[in-house]
Amino acid sequence: MSDTLIDLIRHGEPAGGRQFRGDRVDDPLSAAGWAQLRAALGDACPWDQVISSPMARCRPFAMEVAARHGLPLAIEPALREIGMGDWERRTPADLAAHDPAAFAALYRDPAAHRPPGGEPLAAFTTRIATAYDRQAALYPGRHLLIVCHSGVMRAVVGYLLGAADARWYRLRIDYAGLVRVRHGRFGPAIECVNAPTLPG
């Protein structure tokens, strides 16, 4: 059987600029965000299937790609971003200024120090790993594009590497950054992380 290739792309910049957005804040893409995504993918179309988070910063772009290239589109509700509780809509600069200890603790150990009311990282891990495995199993030997979020992409990489979730925030995922995973004879291989354009 052919390898299964899975490209994951983070959404572009949302309207409203940089702030904590989880599963409660559902801003659409800004004009810059649309441009970032279009530049990252260009005119290429190596995929057989497009899959998307249901959120407004992902789904419309996934719909555009699918319509442009005549590809099937599936919306996967479990690929929504991790819930950030009371920190949603707050900016990193505001939190760093007004609650520096909590802000620093999140990045030192995001498993032990969640925002108040935030989704537990262990629950998020289970949700994303289950959704990712389900999608990979549905399309063996195919090439998938998944439009999702930085937290989702960190969780996928961490899960495939068997890395402790407390270390995931060491991964940088930019707007429109790409991760490619190849599922082959010896299991999954991560071919790139945070690539600015689609790998060849």
Side-chain angles (χ1 to χ4, degrees):
M1 180 182 291
S2 299
D3 293 350
T4 301
L5 276 177
I6 301 180
D7 293 327
L8 301 99
I9 188 166
R10 184 187 179 190
H11 59 78
E13 177 190 79
R18 191 173 178 217
Q19 55 187 263
F20 284 101
R21 292 177 179 85
D23 60 354
R24 297 182 192 174
V25 174
D26 203 17
D27 293 326
L29 291 171
S30 66
W34 280 99
Q36 289 162 346
L37 286 164
R38 289 167 176 156
L41 297 189
D43 295 322
C45 179
W47 309 288
D48 303 300
Q49 173 77 42
V50 181
I51 299 162
S52 180
S53 158
M55 304 196 78
R57 51 196 187 269
C58 298
R59 188 184 65 253
F61 179 73
M63 293 170 65
E64 177 184 272
V65 172
R68 179 183 179 193
H69 298 294
L71 299 174
L73 170 66
I75 304 301
E76 173 52 78
L79 292 177
R80 67 191 182 279
E81 183 61 293
I82 188 169
M84 294 299 288
D86 294 349
W87 285 16
E88 300 212 13
R89 282 271 181 243
R90 296 187 67 181
T91 67
D94 172 59
L95 281 162
H98 293 95
D99 199 348
F103 181 73
L106 174 73
Y107 286 92
R108 280 197 302 268
D109 186 347
H113 301 283
R114 303 303 301 154
E119 184 176 4
L121 206 53
F124 180 65
T125 302
T126 299
R127 168 161 68 84
I128 298 305
T130 301
Y132 181 85
D133 284 346
R134 179 170 60 248
Q135 295 300 333
L138 279 172
Y139 305 102
R142 311 300 290 277
H143 192 164
L144 313 181
L145 174 67
I146 299 179
V147 184
C148 56
H149 309 270
S150 59
V152 171
M153 293 165 73
R154 289 188 188 105
V156 168
V157 172
Y159 164 62
L160 294 176
L161 291 176
D165 48 17
R167 305 291 180 257
W168 293 356
Y169 278 57
R170 296 177 179 179
L171 283 173
R172 173 173 169 164
I173 306 290
D174 294 325
Y175 289 135
L178 285 144
V179 167
R180 173 169 286 178
V181 183
R182 181 181 297 272
H183 291 263
R185 178 182 174 190
F186 300 110
I190 297 167
E191 297 191 342
C192 67
V193 175
N194 202 35
T197 56
L198 192 67

